[in-house]
Amino acid sequence: MQSTPTRRSFLVAAGAAGTTGLAGCLGGTNGGGGNGTDTEAPTDTDTPTGTATGTPIPDESSLLLNWKPSGLHVPYFTAKAKGFYEEEGLTLGSIETGEGSTFSAKQVGLGNVDFAVTSSDQVLNINSRGLSPQSVSVVMQKSPAVVFSTRETFGGELTDVEQLAGRTVGTGPGMVRRLTSLLLEEAGVREDVEMVDTGYDTVQQLLSGKVDAAGGVFGDAISAEAQGYTVDSVPVAETIPSYGHVIAAKRDWADSNPEAVRAFLRATARGAAWAHERPAEATDLLVEANGVLAESRDQQRRKWETMAEEFMLSDAVREHGWGWSEAEPWRVVHDALADADALGGRVDPSTVWTNDYLGTDAESVGSFAD
């Protein structure tokens, strides 16, 4: 694996990434990854999940996902099904299917929804274009982006990015492509790799042998495994510090409705903690709300387990609590976008996120890592 790049080396890599489309999102084409086993599920009283405010918040709030529901969205469906939002005093209406992180960041920035699941790059992008979505929580503390291949296609095990020299790597559009290019640059093999656009059909093009490896998200690798292939992945986040899913709200709406934001975050953290302890039951709640996922239930569970075990915890979460943002990943992504001329204008990365609504005194947030 590669070591974390220095600030200077990363910026050199960012400048070489080039300009790509912003339509893609880090939710990928299918979602996210998995490991872990069930033990006997504790009762609701075994694991404290926080204390409700007991103060009803007027009006109904709305949540827009970044993509179609999947195992990556288990915390929201769990919190809604278990009544955590209501217990925190918030009425959450339907959870709406999204059309990509760009779309969800724009919709929340326009004020068409109260909360949206999006990505750090699109929060920056939409802020640079005159709207003001603000990240109020980081759900994925590490980017879900990976470079992966199958033993069958690659002709052996992929363990290091340097093995991709002389190979063809396919990716879809957006930040996944940019992060893949940065990873190859940091490994010193970018000039020796042919990168091709595989659109939203990356997994199938990999499985058919049209590309030697793929840049995607861990859910794409799980989708390939589900089709009977042996898959190896190299996580981008081990080299490039960047966030995955974030929860965004319009800045002035959040300023005017701070209790609603805090209630939403407390309840979502409770949903994540409950689902982490009971992945099978939580997956059932996801499927009950989205019947089309019944046939892929095992995949969805693996996606959630991988996200919960590998992507929701960080040193910042252990020190401060669930959802905590730090400045460096925002600066890294901003500089990558700016150097690729992929922003609509100037934007200060320190202004597009806040920890003010997390309420770390709530057990579900402050003690999440426990």
Side-chain angles (χ1 to χ4, degrees), residues 69-70 77 95 97 285-294:
S70 75
F77 287 100
I95 300 176
T97 295
L285 295 176
L286 172 73
V287 172
E288 287 172 11
N290 304 276
V292 69
L293 298 178

Side-chain angles (χ1 to χ4, degrees), residues 60-84:
E60 181 177 273
S61 289
S62 50
L63 171 63
L64 176 66
L65 302 180
N66 59 320
W67 196 241
K68 300 174 183 178
S70 75
L72 301 183
H73 304 118
V74 158
Y76 317 106
F77 287 100
T78 296
K80 184 172 175 60
K82 298 299 294 181
F84 295 158

Side-chain angles (χ1 to χ4, degrees), residues 75-76 136-139 141 247 264-266 268-269 272 312 316-318 320-324 358 360 364-369:
Y76 317 106
V136 293
S137 175
V138 175
V139 181
Q141 292 284 320
I247 296 171
F264 180 86
L265 298 181
R266 286 195 304 269
T268 301
M312 294 189 74
V317 170
R318 293 181 181 93
H320 300 287
W322 176 85
W324 195 262
L358 284 171
T360 54
S364 59
V365 176
S367 300
F368 181 83

